[in-house]
Amino acid sequence: MIGAVGVLVSSAVAIWGLPAAVRSADAAQRAEDREQDKDKEDDAKEERLTVGPAIDIAAGEPNLLYGGRFALAQRTTDADSLPDDGFLSDKYKAWFARNKGLRVNDATVRVTIFPIHRGTVVIQNMRITDLSCRATRYTGTAVLPPPFGDSGGEALPTAVAFDLTEPNPRPWKNEGRIPTDRPEGAWKLSGNAFAKAIYLDGGEDFDARAFDLSFFTKNKDCEFGVEVNVTTAGRGDEWYRVVFPGQRLTYKVAGRPERYATSVVSDSVEQPPALKGPHTPGNPPTLRKGTFS
C-alpha cells in the first residue's frame, strides 16, 4: 500500500507540479528571448544610424499613363494581340511591359532620397555611369497614347536633366518645357542642378527629397546607370547607385527613327487601342541650354 501511495503521489507531482514549473520556465525564457530580440533591434537601429549606408534611394517607374511617345522594337502585325481594354487598364500596361516598350527621345524617373545617419546628409552631385548608345533598334511599332492630364496634387520635386548626347552628360537644372515657334516646343536647361548642395537631416526623424531625373536622347538607344554623391560626417564622401524598378542597375531610353513600320493608336482612355499603318514621328523637343555653372 505504501508503495502504491508513493506512486500516486509521484504521479500527482508529475501531472500537476511539473507543468506549472515548465510553464514558469517557458515564460521566463520567452521574456529573455524578447529582451534579446529588442537588444538586437536596438543594435541594428544604432548600426543603421551610425555605421551602415548613409541614405536609402527609392526609384519610381516613369508614368506610362500621362502621355509621351513610346515604341516597341518589333513590328506589330496582329490586331488580336493588342489589349482589349483601355489605356488606363492593367491589361494595357501588361501588354506594354511584355513587349518591352520604351519611351522615345526622353524619359523621366522619380528618385526619392531618404537620409539615414544622424546629423546632416549633404547631396552634392549626380552622374551618369556606364553610358552606352547606338543607332535605334526601336523602329517596329509606335505606341501613341491618347491625350491625358498629369497626376497633379504633388509637391514639385527637384528637376534634373541629363543630355545623353553630351560626351560626359552633366546634371542640368531643368526649368521645364517652354513654347517656341515649333509645335514640339523646347526644354529649358539652365545651370548646374547641384551648384548649391542640398542638406537633409538624417536620423530617426529624417527629411526626404524627391528628384525628377529626365534623360534626353535623339536618334540613339541609350542605356546607363545613375549615381548620387553624398557627404556625411561619419562616412565622408560616397557615391550611391540608383537601383531602378525591377532591381535594375541600368535604365533605357529609345531613339527616334525616321519611320515606324506600324502604329498602335489609342483614340480615348476608355477604348482599346487599334492597329494602324506606318507612322512618321514628329520632331523631338529641342534643348535650350544656358551656361552650366
Side-chain angles (χ1 to χ4, degrees):
M1 290 295 294
I2 295 174
V5 171
V7 170
L8 291 173
V9 171
S10 299
S11 298
V13 170
I15 294 171
W16 302 108
L18 288 181
V22 169
R23 287 197 298 272
S24 177
D26 286 348
Q29 184 62 50
R30 287 195 297 271
E32 183 179 347
D33 290 344
R34 285 195 299 270
E35 190 64 28
Q36 290 178 352
D37 290 342
K38 184 178 183 302
D39 290 342
K40 290 179 181 178
E41 290 177 3
D42 290 343
D43 290 343
K45 183 182 292 184
E46 181 66 21
E47 181 176 3
R48 182 174 173 83
L49 294 174
T50 58
V51 179
I55 61 171
D56 277 344
I57 304 176
E61 195 70 69
N63 202 336
L64 174 64
L65 303 183
Y66 302 116
R69 297 176 300 275
F70 304 89
L72 312 180
Q74 71 279 8
R75 179 181 178 183
T76 301
T77 58
D78 181 8
D80 292 336
S81 68
L82 300 182
D84 59 0
D85 208 343
F87 186 64
L88 301 182
S89 68
D90 290 337
K91 287 183 178 180
Y92 193 108
K93 286 181 280 187
W95 168 81
F96 184 84
R98 187 168 58 251
N99 284 276
K100 300 180 180 179
L102 291 183
R103 288 292 298 261
V104 175
N105 290 139
D106 62 85
T108 299
V109 177
R110 179 161 295 181
V111 170
T112 305
I113 297 177
F114 304 88
I116 299 171
H117 281 196
R118 290 193 180 97
T120 302
V121 174
V122 186
I123 302 173
Q124 304 268 31
N125 203 358
M126 292 186 184
R127 68 185 179 190
I128 296 291
T129 65
D130 308 315
L131 177 62
S132 174
C133 295
R134 60 180 178 179
T136 186
R137 295 173 296 168
Y138 277 72
T139 61
T141 300
V143 180
L144 307 176
F148 203 76
D150 59 27
S151 56
E154 298 179 357
L156 292 177
T158 300
V160 182
F162 291 94
D163 179 2
L164 301 180
T165 68
E166 292 182 346
N168 295 294
R170 298 165 292 178
W172 289 86
K173 181 180 179 181
N174 187 354
E175 297 191 2
R177 200 159 183 165
I178 58 175
T180 66
D181 56 357
R182 301 172 63 182
E184 64 271 11
W187 290 88
K188 184 179 180 182
L189 311 185
S190 179
N192 184 352
F194 298 96
K196 294 182 179 179
I198 297 172
Y199 294 80
L200 301 176
D201 291 332
E204 294 186 45
D205 298 323
F206 56 81
D207 294 329
R209 178 66 66 90
F211 298 82
D212 272 357
L213 308 185
S214 296
F215 310 101
F216 297 91
T217 185
K218 291 183 179 178
N219 60 351
K220 293 184 178 180
D221 296 340
C222 291
E223 184 172 3
F224 51 90
V226 176
E227 290 182 340
V228 181
N229 182 242
V230 171
T231 300
T232 57
R235 296 177 63 97
D237 184 85
E238 296 178 308
W239 288 94
Y240 288 84
R241 187 86 177 219
V242 172
V243 179
F244 297 98
Q247 298 300 306
R248 294 173 295 172
L249 294 178
T250 58
Y251 194 74
K252 297 179 181 179
V253 183
R256 174 190 175 277
E258 293 300 318
R259 192 178 186 184
Y260 294 99
T262 58
S263 56
V264 172
V265 180
S266 297
D267 292 325
S268 72
V269 172
E270 295 83 7
Q271 296 299 316
L275 179 63
K276 298 191 176 182
H279 173 73
T280 300
N283 293 323
T286 58
L287 301 181
R288 292 198 173 174
K289 299 177 182 177
T291 301
F292 189 86
S293 60

